[in-house]
Amino acid sequence: VVVEDRMYSMGGFDANFKPVPGIDIYDAKTRGWTSLKTTIPAAETHAGHAVDGSSIYFAGGDTGALGKGRQQSGTRKVWRYD
């Protein structure tokens, strides 16, 4: 999602297809990425995102590692990041 001149990337997979709780920000003015020490409350992937002013909403998503023949469990939780 984009807030002001920054694009936020939240959650996702690592190199071993395990969900991560990280938050990375791309700043269009500096053309650089920053990894925040703050994380989303749970490691998730494939969540929905929305912006309301300066608040970012992170809703639903899949939890747990993605393994061969394994179905990921989902969540209905919603987080707000300010």
Side-chain angles (χ1 to χ4, degrees):
V1 296
V2 176
V3 177
E4 296 175 1
D5 289 328
R6 296 184 184 135
M7 179 177 68
Y8 290 73
S9 175
M10 307 168 99
F13 286 119
D14 68 9
N16 296 311
F17 295 102
K18 292 182 181 175
V20 295
I23 300 174
D24 297 302
I25 302 172
Y26 178 76
D27 188 319
K29 290 180 182 175
T30 64
R31 297 183 180 187
W33 285 94
T34 302
S35 293
L36 299 184
K37 290 181 182 178
T38 301
T39 61
I40 57 176
E44 298 178 23
T45 66
H46 298 86
H49 302 86
V51 176
D52 181 18
S54 61
S55 295
I56 299 171
Y57 292 88
F58 186 92
D62 296 328
T63 61
L66 181 63
K68 186 175 182 178
R70 181 183 182 279
Q71 181 177 352
Q72 284 184 286
S73 57
T75 180
R76 294 181 183 189
K77 294 182 179 177
V78 177
W79 312 106
R80 187 175 93 188
Y81 176 78
D82 292 312

